[in-house]
Each structure stands twice: as C-alpha cells, then as structure tokens.
Amino acid sequence: MSTGYAMAYRLGIRPWERAGAGGQASFEALLEREENERGRPLGRALDLGCGRGRHTRELAARGWEAVGIDNIPRALAQARAAGDGATFVEADVTALRRAKLGGFDFFLDIGCLHGLDAAARAAAAGGITELANPGATMLLLAFRPHPLPLLPKGLTRADVESTFPAWRLESTGPADTAGMPRPLRRTEPQWYRLRLAS
C-alpha cells in the first residue's frame, strides 16, 4: 500500500485530502470532545500516516504537542515545509518501537490502519499500545469492508477490537461523507474511539 501512496504523491493525486475537507466540522467536534476531557496542557498526540500533515498541524494549533509519522518522504517534505509547530518523523507505523518517539496521550488514525493486512495491523497496534500513556485515547477512521478495487479494504468493529485487545472501544459512529467521491461514500467510513484499558 505504501508504494501506491508514494506514486500518488509523486503524481499529485490525493483524493483523500479533498474527501477529508468535506467532513471538517464533524472532525473538529470529535477533537473538541477529546480536549474537553483533559486539562491544559493537552499532552502529546501522534498522527499515524500523517501524509502532508494537515491534521498534525491542526492538532498543534489546538494545543497538542503534535507529532506526525509517515513513511513517504515526499509527503513528509511537504509537511515539514508548512511548519506550524508540528513535528514530522519518517518511520513505519508497523515498527513504532524503533522510532523512539516517547509516550503519547492521544492517537489519530485517519485511514492508515484500515489499509494494512492483519499482521501489519497487529504490529502497529502493539507499537501504539507500547507508546500509550495511562488513559490514552485514540480516534480511528476506517472504511467498512467492501469489494471496491484500488481502495483500502477496510475494517469491521470486530477487527478493531481484536487488533487492540488492550484497549476499550468506547464509541463508534458514521463519518461525515460530505465532499467524498461516490466510491468513498460507498465504503461507509466509521469513526472508532478507543481508550487504553487501565
């Protein structure tokens, strides 16, 4: 999947960015819920598969100590060029332990893990759990499984729960698909909110 993303960035084809812009208001509401549970400072946030860093920079602007991680150098170069108080690290989400990133209070995954196979998801989840501070939460956006070609295959609720056995699934809900191309809307993307079990 990362090879496909590298080619897409090289060609300037990034439909996921346009799709995300349409659901911005609902995304901001989800972030506000996270922030309202916490005092200030908010803590450290890790944006998994951050791409060009739009969401990482938004987290930083909202007061998080925000780190974005991706394995596509072209995307990260553009993320770093935009600056705005976020940190960007080139690393593989399935090998987080090697990246030496420190602990985090919040994890954001907008369409990263749902493109990995079960073994890679398990490796990523293990690293996320190892980096999670007590009480950490996670927001994960994933397509539901579907037969459409050229798109990440998606995750079920059961997939999410089995991938994160050390976490409690606190809520699920449909994502706002405003602005998404019709094929993406057909995947019925879902938000999952998880909390590290105490």
Side-chain angles (χ1 to χ4, degrees), residues 3 7 9 23 27 29 33 59 72 78 86 101 114-115 122 127 130-131 138 140 146 155 181 184 191 193 197:
T3 303
M7 179 63 72
Y9 280 110
F27 174 58
R33 177 178 64 181
L59 290 169
I72 308 294
Q78 294 174 14
L101 299 169
H114 76 172
E130 190 170 296
L131 298 182
M138 179 175 185
L140 185 156
H146 60 85
L155 298 173
L184 292 184
W191 281 108
R193 185 179 193 240

Side-chain angles (χ1 to χ4, degrees), residues 27-35 58-59 62 106:
F27 174 58
E28 289 175 1
L30 292 171
L31 291 181
E32 286 168 10
R33 177 178 64 181
E34 295 298 323
E35 294 156 7
E58 180 167 354
L59 290 169
R62 298 177 73 96
F106 177 58

Side-chain angles (χ1 to χ4, degrees), residues 10-130:
R10 190 173 301 120
L11 297 174
I13 301 169
R14 300 179 301 271
W16 54 89
E17 292 181 0
R18 186 175 64 253
Q24 184 64 24
S26 63
F27 174 58
E28 289 175 1
L30 292 171
L31 291 181
E32 286 168 10
R33 177 178 64 181
E34 295 298 323
E35 294 156 7
N36 288 340
E37 286 190 359
R38 295 170 162 85
R40 297 279 173 164
L42 292 170
R44 300 189 75 221
L46 182 61
D47 183 7
L48 301 154
C50 67
R52 298 196 308 158
R54 175 178 164 229
H55 300 302
T56 320
R57 290 191 299 276
E58 180 167 354
L59 290 169
R62 298 177 73 96
W64 295 92
E65 183 183 337
V67 177
I69 182 172
D70 208 300
N71 64 351
I72 308 294
R74 182 180 295 267
L76 287 171
Q78 294 174 14
R80 290 180 180 124
D84 295 336
T87 301
F88 296 97
V89 177
E90 184 178 344
D92 188 333
V93 296
T94 66
L96 290 172
R97 294 175 183 94
R98 291 201 302 261
K100 299 182 179 177
L101 299 169
F104 291 91
D105 306 289
F106 177 58
F107 298 84
L108 179 64
D109 172 7
I110 298 184
C112 179
L113 298 185
H114 76 172
L116 303 178
D117 63 29
R121 283 198 311 269
I128 290 167
T129 301
E130 190 170 296

Side-chain angles (χ1 to χ4, degrees), residues 100-189:
K100 299 182 179 177
L101 299 169
F104 291 91
D105 306 289
F106 177 58
F107 298 84
L108 179 64
D109 172 7
I110 298 184
C112 179
L113 298 185
H114 76 172
L116 303 178
D117 63 29
R121 283 198 311 269
I128 290 167
T129 301
E130 190 170 296
L131 298 182
N133 292 331
T137 57
M138 179 175 185
L139 277 178
L140 185 156
L141 178 69
F143 296 161
R144 287 187 171 170
H146 60 85
L148 300 173
L150 305 177
L151 294 176
K153 293 304 176 191
L155 298 173
T156 64
R157 176 181 176 139
D159 291 332
V160 173
E161 291 178 314
S162 65
T163 298
F164 290 93
W167 297 67
R168 182 175 64 250
L169 181 59
E170 294 203 325
S171 65
T172 65
D176 184 347
T177 59
M180 285 189 180
R182 185 172 179 175
L184 292 184
R185 292 198 303 270
R186 288 174 57 196
T187 67
E188 299 180 332

